[in-house]
Amino acid sequence: MTLWHVQKIYIEDNPKFIVLPYYFGKNLKIENSYKATIKFLWNSRLSEAEADKLCERKNKKIQAGYDH
C-alpha cells in the first residue's frame, strides 16, 4: 500500500509543497513519537489525486501569504 505524503521543501528560500510516495509496510519507519506520527498521517492521503488536491491548497495558502 502506498501513502501519498505532502511535504514542504525550500527552493531558493521559497517554500513549496510537493507530493511524495511512501510505501506503507516494512519500508516505512516513523519516529517513535506519537506527535510526529499523527503529523505525518495528517498530511498523507491514500490516493495520489487527493494528495495533489491537498498540495494545491497548501501552495495557494503559501502564495496568498507572500502576496501581501
Side-chain angles (χ1 to χ4, degrees):
M1 174 194 274
T2 303
L3 283 178
W4 299 91
H5 183 68
V6 178
Q7 178 71 43
K8 185 192 295 185
I9 62 168
Y10 288 87
I11 301 171
E12 297 177 1
D13 296 331
N14 295 321
K16 181 180 180 181
F17 286 93
I18 61 169
V19 177
L20 300 171
Y22 283 88
Y23 300 102
F24 194 69
K26 292 182 181 179
N27 297 337
L28 181 66
K29 294 193 183 223
I30 301 175
E31 295 179 27
N32 292 333
S33 165
Y34 290 113
K35 186 177 179 181
T37 302
I38 290 171
K39 185 176 179 181
F40 177 84
L41 292 174
W42 187 262
N43 290 313
S44 299
R45 300 293 184 263
L46 291 175
S47 72
E48 186 176 9
E50 288 297 319
D52 286 336
K53 287 180 187 178
L54 177 63
C55 186
E56 286 178 30
R57 278 191 312 228
K58 287 182 174 255
N59 281 325
K60 284 181 185 177
K61 190 174 180 181
I62 280 181
Q63 288 301 322
Y66 279 115
D67 290 342
H68 292 152

